[in-house]
Amino acid sequence: MSSINTSPHLNPLSLQRLGLMHAHLGKPVRVPRRRRVSAAEHVRSTQRRTTDELDFSSPNRGSRPAIEIGGLWMRACAVDEGDVFVLKAGDGDRLHVEASGRGETPWSEDPADPSRVYIEPIEDAAFAVARGDGTGVVIVHEKGKGIYAYHFEPDPQAAPEPPARARRPGTEQPLSCPAPQWLSDDDETWLHQLVQTRVARGGLFNFAVAVGVAMRLRVAGPEERAQGLAALLSGRPMPTTHAPHDWYRALDAEQRQRIESAGVSHVNALHDAFGDLRNGLDIDAARWRDRLLAALHVRDDLEGLRSLALAVGEGEMMLRSIARLDREVGRFVCSLPRPVGLVDERLVRVASLDPGAWWASMVRAPA
Amino acid sequence: MRLVDAFCDIQPVGPDAPAAKRDRLQTAARILLQELEDLARREMRSSDFSAADRDTVVQTVAYRLVKAGPRGRREGDPQRDGEVRGWLSIAVRNASRDLIRRRARFAWPTMDRDSRQPADPVERLRAGEPTDDTPLAEQVDRRRAEALLEQSRRTLYALTVPAIVARKNGRSPGAGDRFKETIDELRRAVRDSLSIEDLARQSLEADGMDVDPSKIAARRAALDKRFQRAREACLEAIDADLRGGAIDEDQVRATRLVLQHELYVQQRSDGVVAKARRKPRTDMRGRRTAGVREIKDNSGG
């Protein structure tokens, strides 16, 4: 292995941004392109597949073999026209992602599985996905050439520090820091913890999700309700209720666009997560139920963002992608043949407040 | 402004909102509140609810919509005024249940969908029971809702399922026949109130295999997958018919209700039904059966 970088997108500055100044890169491996498949070929390949096989095949989106590099499996996801990949550490090792490129480079983690991440290597973007031992993969989309992957290892001569550090999208502080009063103003412990935990994860996207959750799930007291509705009926501004919308509106366009890009990434990840749930259907298995619940929570995270984007009249791509997710995944959830009986306080609240929320249709309250 | 527009657009008003927007939202709020007041009077007729309770529920539901809005046109959401009324009536019932639960006056059915008993949706409509089917009846009058459900049931089994069978057999010989067997198995299971556990045991016994916990679990998972695929195929066909204009939204909703009541397995055995039949049942060929006794006889037990 040598430290040769053979890509203009892996110049020293790029490597520095990815935290890879003290790492050795392997030779580039071209990520296979998608190829067209007929419906019959797709059916045959699907019938042959087991849940362990990672090749991707779809009658609409073609097929693409998985590749293994540096101990990580990389395969395409069942989404969109773009190239979205899932990377998984076969041994369950936690993965860390560093990204560089134009704007906010979309990637997301799997909330139920720290050894799995999703990336969308748009043109001129680069990702470093690292394992706990400092080895990993750099993925680069070279404009006009394709997507390449490089295995890397830490330079043994360098200081003992993992070359890629975990960083969440939007690491700059959100507008309000510390969290504004209206974001902490709830007297239900579980909701308070949910919101504050999300804020503590850092990043603009997580803050926006926390805002959306508080906005939707907090139950207002009688005085606030009466005052708010009286104000609305008389055409006056509503005290405090508009705070989440004003917060979102006050972000600059680039910040909102980054939130929406991250939202699209999460939708893409959800398509894949639900695909796995469908292929590995096992209603009584604890792990399957945990993964289902985690996926349903992510859908609920997106609902608040959806409302905020609608309020400012933006986020068309995110709104469309959520609508498509609801159509396809909603149908899968409706097709489950018996009660799943997930126990979850958050989704019970959602079901109570929003009868049409398909992602809350399988829950019951904790005892 | 229509009710559905008010439902989709309602949102909080900030200090910087232009006058036109404030006027529009003011109108939306009035429309929603009027509708909610009418629904609360209808849904909360019981003497357990005072006028103040109805006001509380109306304000609760209205404020929730405002605070979380705008809702926009979400996939699967109500598209017409009648459907919005159905949605709002469920929201009012949920809020009234929360009110009572907080007071702990008397036991009230929870929203636990696992405890929902499979009962013919048409029978429940006739009995005037408030159920998840009620939104359908809210949109159309009850007689039409009954007719719709009956028609949807006939269409599902006489047209939709055979079409799926033919399509699947065309792609892969025998696949459609296996799909039909799965649908029949599901119908029988629901009709005879069998749980997935019962079905797994019967299936193992029919294959001459030992009935031990690990095999039951594996067979349960296999049955779940088969049933899920079959239901999904029906749902896809219904959606395709809607897109093609063969059916309308009301028929889609009614057909989904039929699926949910007739092709949906209970979590656990209904011990009462397993011991004694309440009323005679017929098998797929229209013969009266002894139900449980016949199952036991078939299994050699």
Side-chain angles (χ1 to χ4, degrees):
Chain A
M1 178 168 299
S2 70
S3 59
I4 298 169
N5 92 67
T6 58
S7 162
H9 301 288
L10 288 177
N11 54 50
L13 188 58
S14 296
L15 289 173
Q16 186 179 35
R17 285 198 190 115
L18 292 174
L20 292 173
M21 285 306 292
H22 303 291
H24 288 300
L25 294 180
K27 290 186 180 171
V29 173
R30 179 103 186 258
V31 175
R33 289 183 186 279
R34 266 179 291 175
R35 68 176 184 85
R36 287 185 177 277
V37 289
S38 65
E41 195 177 345
H42 165 70
V43 167
R44 281 196 299 273
S45 71
T46 305
Q47 286 171 340
R48 279 197 308 268
R49 279 173 70 188
T50 67
T51 54
D52 293 333
E53 290 174 7
L54 299 177
D55 288 356
F56 168 74
S57 177
S58 158
N60 297 326
R61 300 177 189 105
S63 81
R64 193 176 220 161
I67 61 170
E68 189 268 335
I69 178 167
L72 298 178
W73 279 101
M74 179 173 171
R75 69 172 172 87
C77 287
V79 294
D80 273 351
E81 297 76 24
D83 291 313
V84 181
F85 294 89
V86 57
L87 282 96
K88 172 136 177 76
D91 57 4
D93 198 4
R94 186 180 194 96
L95 295 179
H96 304 269
V97 180
E98 198 75 25
S100 78
R102 289 175 301 152
E104 184 65 40
T105 317
W107 68 273
S108 70
E109 54 196 11
D110 184 333
D113 185 355
S115 69
R116 190 203 291 247
V117 295
Y118 297 86
I119 63 167
E120 189 170 359
I122 54 180
E123 279 185 352
D124 298 333
F127 297 82
V129 182
R131 303 156 63 97
D133 61 2
T135 64
V137 175
V138 171
I139 294 138
V140 178
H141 187 163
E142 299 197 26
K143 192 172 177 178
K145 293 185 182 176
I147 301 170
Y148 290 86
Y150 301 74
H151 175 45
F152 67 80
E153 290 177 352
D155 186 339
Q157 306 299 321
E161 183 185 338
R165 296 174 301 281
R167 194 169 74 172
R168 308 289 182 259
T171 52
E172 73 286 358
Q173 289 300 310
L175 274 185
S176 301
C177 180
Q181 178 60 34
W182 50 263
L183 196 56
S184 317
D185 187 18
D186 49 62
D187 51 14
E188 288 181 283
T189 307
W190 69 270
L191 181 57
H192 184 85
Q193 280 178 352
L194 177 65
V195 170
Q196 298 312 313
T197 301
R198 198 62 193 245
V199 170
R201 281 166 70 170
L204 191 58
F205 178 77
N206 286 321
F207 195 91
V209 166
V211 168
V213 167
M215 177 180 83
R216 290 170 47 244
L217 303 191
R218 191 175 69 81
V219 175
E223 202 174 310
E224 182 188 336
R225 286 198 305 260
Q227 286 176 0
L229 288 171
L232 183 61
L233 285 168
S234 59
R236 288 181 283 116
M238 299 171 70
T240 71
T241 319
H242 56 81
H245 297 78
D246 286 351
W247 171 83
Y248 194 77
R249 207 171 275 120
L251 298 175
D252 63 49
E254 196 198 335
Q255 287 174 312
R256 289 198 297 269
Q257 205 277 321
R258 286 211 303 273
I259 291 171
E260 285 148 20
S261 285
V264 172
S265 282
H266 280 77
V267 172
N268 292 341
L270 275 182
H271 273 287
D272 200 57
F274 277 105
D276 282 350
L277 286 165
R278 182 184 179 275
N279 291 337
L281 188 70
D282 195 350
I283 292 176
D284 298 314
R287 180 153 171 74
W288 187 89
R289 296 161 68 84
D290 288 345
R291 291 186 63 87
L292 174 65
L293 189 58
L296 297 175
H297 281 166
V298 174
R299 175 57 187 92
D300 196 56
D301 289 344
L302 294 170
E303 187 60 15
L305 299 184
R306 200 182 142 274
S307 284
L308 292 171
L310 276 169
V312 301
E314 290 178 1
E316 186 64 30
M317 189 183 297
M318 182 179 73
L319 297 173
R320 272 207 315 266
S321 67
I322 292 174
R324 186 166 148 249
L325 177 82
D326 285 349
R327 240 183 347 264
E328 295 178 7
V329 176
R331 189 163 56 210
F332 160 67
V333 165
C334 282
S335 71
L336 293 174
R338 57 188 172 98
V340 178
L342 297 174
V343 178
D344 185 70
E345 193 144 23
R346 173 180 177 180
L347 294 183
V348 164
R349 174 63 56 84
V350 172
S352 175
L353 302 179
D354 189 351
W358 61 262
W359 58 95
S361 62
M362 291 173 283
V363 294
R364 59 183 176 196
Chain B
M1 180 184 285
R2 295 179 306 154
L3 178 61
V4 64
D5 298 322
F7 175 73
C8 293
D9 295 344
I10 194 75
Q11 58 188 283
V13 176
D16 300 328
K21 184 173 180 179
R22 286 192 201 185
D23 289 345
R24 198 174 73 246
L25 292 175
Q26 199 175 358
T27 304
R30 285 203 192 109
I31 290 172
L32 279 168
L33 279 164
Q34 184 61 58
E35 195 63 45
L36 285 166
E37 282 164 9
D38 293 342
L39 284 169
R41 271 195 294 275
R42 204 160 64 225
E43 298 285 345
M44 299 170 70
R45 278 193 298 256
S46 159
S47 58
D48 293 299
F49 296 113
S50 64
D53 289 338
R54 286 191 282 277
D55 287 343
T56 297
V57 165
V58 166
Q59 283 198 354
T60 299
V61 176
Y63 194 69
R64 282 172 186 170
L65 281 168
V66 172
K67 194 161 66 70
R71 192 182 179 87
R73 309 265 170 184
R74 198 174 73 187
E75 189 71 24
D77 257 3
Q79 304 292 320
R80 297 173 300 186
D81 285 1
E83 293 169 17
V84 173
R85 277 189 195 95
W87 193 99
L88 291 174
S89 71
I90 295 177
V92 164
R93 281 205 298 279
N94 290 346
S96 64
R97 281 176 190 158
D98 289 344
L99 190 71
I100 294 298
R101 206 177 290 132
R102 277 197 297 274
R103 290 180 189 165
R105 271 173 146 182
F106 53 85
W108 191 266
T110 66
M111 267 195 60
D112 181 355
R113 290 166 192 255
D114 287 352
S115 63
R116 178 179 57 191
Q117 296 301 311
D120 191 296
V122 176
E123 286 178 16
R124 289 161 76 184
L125 267 179
R126 286 191 186 126
E129 295 174 16
T131 67
D132 288 350
D133 317 332
T134 308
L136 183 64
E138 292 291 342
Q139 301 151 39
V140 298
D141 62 57
R142 280 181 181 264
R143 278 194 195 167
R144 186 166 168 240
E146 281 181 34
L148 202 55
L149 283 164
E150 290 285 0
Q151 180 197 22
S152 298
R153 179 187 284 126
R154 279 198 299 274
T155 304
L156 176 67
Y157 295 122
L159 291 176
T160 308
V161 166
I164 297 171
V165 169
R167 197 161 52 244
K168 282 183 177 285
N169 278 339
R171 284 189 199 148
S172 173
D177 298 330
R178 287 191 293 277
F179 162 79
K180 181 65 168 54
E181 283 170 13
T182 302
I183 292 290
D184 290 343
E185 196 174 342
L186 257 175
R187 290 184 77 183
R188 190 169 56 246
V190 175
R191 186 198 66 200
D192 294 344
S193 298
L194 299 176
S195 69
I196 195 72
E197 181 92 2
D198 295 333
L199 291 169
R201 285 176 181 276
Q202 284 178 19
S203 173
L204 286 168
E205 286 165 2
D207 290 345
M209 295 174 70
D210 291 337
V211 181
D212 65 55
S214 63
K215 288 199 173 69
I216 290 175
R219 191 56 61 102
R220 258 202 326 253
L223 287 170
D224 279 337
K225 245 186 204 175
R226 200 151 52 82
F227 292 158
Q228 183 270 322
R229 300 289 196 267
R231 282 169 54 91
E232 194 172 48
C234 292
L235 288 166
E236 281 172 357
I238 294 164
D239 288 343
D241 285 345
L242 175 67
R243 282 196 303 273
I247 57 177
D248 60 26
E249 292 273 3
D250 285 344
Q251 287 169 304
V252 168
R253 203 159 282 114
T255 312
R256 280 175 174 243
L257 277 174
V258 173
L259 271 170
Q260 211 51 19
H261 286 274
E262 299 191 11
L263 297 175
Y264 190 75
V265 181
Q266 283 299 292
Q267 176 69 16
R268 48 180 167 72
S269 292
D270 184 339
V272 173
V273 176
K275 286 175 186 169
R277 286 278 170 221
R278 292 200 199 98
K279 56 184 180 181
R281 300 271 179 182
T282 56
D283 67 11
M284 295 306 298
R285 296 197 186 102
R287 297 174 304 188
R288 291 200 171 205
T289 71
V292 171
R293 276 203 300 281
E294 180 165 329
I295 291 168
K296 282 187 177 172
D297 287 341
N298 286 344
S299 68

